[in-house]
Amino acid sequence: MSRDIRVVTTTLVVKIVHVCLAALLVYCAVIQLNDPDPYFWALMYAVCAAVPLMNLFARNYLAVCWLAMLLCSVGIGVSSGGMIEYLQNAGEEPLMQPMSDEKYYIEEAREMLGALVSLLIVLGYFVIKRSRRTATQN
């Protein structure tokens, strides 16, 4: 395989990854609209989805990264109590079950996991952007 073909293939794969991550986060935002507390969570996922999209279109997304990391951190903090309670009952309660008013901590545990995954995605983009910025300055 020639070098040009490898570069084009690599670029295409990277763009597909950006689109898939953005689509996953948009899907999560849409799913949250059915939640009892949709506004914060849908906003968090939507802002996180903007990061791979902005990277795809070569936009400066560091400010959006900071906002997304802040929202994810708030989400993790808000739902951490439910995660702790879930972990105390993890042997008895599966994470995948219908929502219940008696077991709201299960919903909070799922929300925390979603915020954590979103934070990891955004952190990945943040690290990449910072390392590229540092490389161009040297």
Side-chain angles (χ1 to χ4, degrees):
M1 193 184 310
S2 74
R3 183 175 175 351
D4 292 339
I5 293 174
R6 278 185 280 163
V7 169
V8 169
T9 304
T10 302
T11 303
L12 181 62
V13 169
V14 168
K15 287 181 179 186
I16 290 170
V17 169
H18 293 319
V19 169
C20 288
L21 288 173
L24 171 69
L25 292 165
V26 167
Y27 175 74
C28 290
V30 170
I31 292 295
Q32 289 301 315
L33 298 176
N34 195 29
D35 208 55
D37 55 347
Y39 303 112
F40 170 79
W41 297 102
L43 175 67
M44 182 195 77
Y45 285 117
V47 171
C48 289
V51 172
L53 287 175
M54 291 177 79
N55 186 298
L56 181 67
F57 295 110
R59 300 288 184 241
N60 187 355
Y61 56 87
L62 275 179
V64 177
C65 273
W66 283 110
L67 177 60
M69 289 187 292
L70 174 67
L71 290 170
C72 289
S73 298
V74 169
I76 289 169
V78 165
S79 56
S80 62
M83 176 58 91
I84 291 168
E85 191 173 345
Y86 169 74
L87 291 173
Q88 293 169 345
N89 298 299
E92 308 154 12
E93 300 291 342
L95 194 56
M96 295 299 154
Q97 61 178 287
M99 282 181 49
S100 165
D101 288 337
E102 299 85 41
K103 300 176 186 174
Y104 195 72
Y105 60 88
I106 292 173
E107 175 65 15
E108 288 183 339
R110 291 189 291 231
E111 287 173 340
M112 183 175 170
L113 288 174
L116 185 59
V117 168
S118 299
L119 179 61
L120 291 174
I121 290 170
V122 172
L123 275 172
Y125 280 96
F126 181 78
V127 168
I128 290 168
K129 185 68 171 175
R130 295 290 294 208
S131 65
R132 283 185 190 158
R133 178 187 266 184
T134 304
T136 58
Q137 290 175 349
N138 292 333

